[in-house]
Amino acid sequence: MVIKEIFTPDIAITWLPWAVQYFFLMGLAYASVWVATIHLFNAKQTDARLLKLCACLMLTAGIVAPIALLADLHQPLRAWHFYAQIRPHSWMWYGAFLLPIFSGTSLVFAWLLLRPYLPQAHSSLANSAQEADWLSRIGQWLRFGNWSSDKWLKPIALIATLSACSIALYTGMETMAIKARPLWHTYWLPPLMATSALLAACGTLALLNRVLHGYQASTQDRLLQWVRASFGLFALCLIGWALFDKGSAHEAALLLDSSPSWQLAAIWVLVTLALLALVLAVRRLPSVLMLVVSLTAVHLAWGFRWIVLIQAQTDPKYGAGTYFYQLPWGPEGLLGIAGTFGLWIALMVLVSEFIRYQPNSAREAL
């Protein structure tokens, strides 16, 4: 009998938790653009509170997400290579152009939505204390005058939505295009990423409606409908992937047979989906259950990205078995995750301070 010994090298993962933060926050940004645009064009009566929350989310998440991406590149200054070299076969090369366009269009869209809430230079509500407030003075400058911006809102919304769709496609395809990893190489991945991003954005908007000053029950009810719809879309995509995909789903089934960590991940996904489905089946949700729904939706979308981007790298490209991954405590692990969310919260607090002014009319709030 001949015995052959096989060695499988333990190779460090390439994409770090910074990538999870980028995909998650960018999903919040482009999905909030979708929610705002769909509501702006379809609602019989515009919900100014919902549009305000969407603007805050797309603005803050859209700023922090590229920062997390630069951190994941390890050497951020090398990003200029995307522009110095033509690589039409690379989705990351396209993303180098699509990402700045989305950042710019979503910034303008958010500014138009938040502009009515910035303090006016000659507001009747202004007093000496307000004029001395440096935040108010900056807010007055950010209005760029007291002219009406209503006619620009819908055209910019359409442009921002098209750009958001391009980012949703790019962030899904840049992962799906890697053929060396069967778990990623499936056409179901882009719709799974997009629908989970929409679910997370709706859950985050519901949390912001509760946390930020000016809570409205009607906005919360509308967001509950959004959560139900986005959860249904995500569940359908997940079922479609499990039933009809022949490559990625088959690889996942093999991992479930041999890896305890993947078995635990599958149990977590099923339990989270079942919990969210049961709670959403309740017709009228009290505040406590709505909070549970919001947090669970955000948790599910972030955990889904962790499984796809981090845990999938424990499945080796070549060889057998799975790699061992331990989350570091430093900037490349837990500290980086906490710092990214901390930066996003800090920006949200800053933006909420700028938009303390209340419009004089419902029309101005649009």
Side-chain angles (χ1 to χ4, degrees), residues 76-122:
L77 291 179
R78 71 178 183 176
W80 70 271
H81 287 280
F82 289 120
Y83 306 99
Q85 303 175 12
I86 299 177
R87 293 290 185 269
H89 61 278
S90 172
W91 277 98
M92 294 187 69
W93 181 75
Y94 289 107
F97 297 93
L98 296 176
L99 184 56
I101 294 174
F102 172 73
S103 297
T105 55
S106 62
L107 177 64
V108 174
F109 186 28
W111 174 71
L112 289 175
L113 291 174
L114 294 178
R115 187 172 174 270
Y117 300 95
L118 294 171
Q120 295 185 16
H122 303 289

Side-chain angles (χ1 to χ4, degrees), residues 261-291:
S261 63
W262 281 96
Q263 294 169 4
L264 182 62
I267 293 174
W268 169 81
V269 170
L270 293 175
V271 170
T272 307
L273 287 171
L275 174 63
L276 197 53
L278 288 174
V279 178
L280 288 176
V282 179
R283 183 176 179 83
R284 299 289 297 180
L285 290 178
S287 300
V288 175
L289 283 183
M290 187 62 193
L291 181 62

Side-chain angles (χ1 to χ4, degrees), residues 135-146:
L135 281 175
S136 297
R137 292 199 298 271
I138 295 176
Q140 293 170 10
W141 177 77
L142 289 174
R143 284 184 67 101
F144 292 99
N146 294 328

Side-chain angles (χ1 to χ4, degrees), residues 315-327:
D315 181 24
K317 295 181 181 179
Y318 313 103
T322 56
Y323 295 152
F324 176 75
Y325 174 75
Q326 185 175 4
L327 179 66

Side-chain angles (χ1 to χ4, degrees), residues 50-227:
L50 177 60
L51 295 177
K52 181 180 181 181
L53 295 175
C54 289
C56 290
L57 185 56
M58 73 177 73
L59 176 63
T60 55
I63 292 175
V64 180
I67 297 176
L69 175 62
L70 290 177
D72 189 66
L73 289 176
H74 307 295
Q75 298 178 11
L77 291 179
R78 71 178 183 176
W80 70 271
H81 287 280
F82 289 120
Y83 306 99
Q85 303 175 12
I86 299 177
R87 293 290 185 269
H89 61 278
S90 172
W91 277 98
M92 294 187 69
W93 181 75
Y94 289 107
F97 297 93
L98 296 176
L99 184 56
I101 294 174
F102 172 73
S103 297
T105 55
S106 62
L107 177 64
V108 174
F109 186 28
W111 174 71
L112 289 175
L113 291 174
L114 294 178
R115 187 172 174 270
Y117 300 95
L118 294 171
Q120 295 185 16
H122 303 289
S123 173
S124 59
L125 299 178
N127 50 39
S128 58
Q130 184 183 23
E131 291 172 357
D133 185 357
W134 64 273
L135 281 175
S136 297
R137 292 199 298 271
I138 295 176
Q140 293 170 10
W141 177 77
L142 289 174
R143 284 184 67 101
F144 292 99
N146 294 328
W147 48 275
S148 175
S149 58
D150 293 346
K151 65 179 181 179
W152 297 103
L153 191 56
K154 288 187 176 181
I156 294 298
L158 289 176
I159 296 174
T161 300
L162 291 175
S163 182
C165 292
S166 71
I167 289 296
L169 177 63
Y170 145 67
T171 52
M173 291 301 296
E174 72 168 333
T175 309
M176 176 264 167
I178 303 178
K179 298 180 180 180
R181 295 195 178 276
L183 283 173
W184 290 352
H185 193 60
T186 170
Y187 286 105
W188 286 97
L189 186 58
L192 281 169
M193 297 286 276
T195 53
S196 62
L198 183 60
L199 176 62
C202 296
T204 305
L205 290 171
L207 288 174
L208 293 177
N209 185 40
R210 177 67 63 178
V211 172
L212 297 182
H213 177 72
Y215 169 81
Q216 290 187 7
S218 59
T219 302
Q220 203 76 346
D221 293 339
R222 186 172 284 108
L223 286 171
L224 178 59
Q225 297 175 0
W226 272 98
V227 170

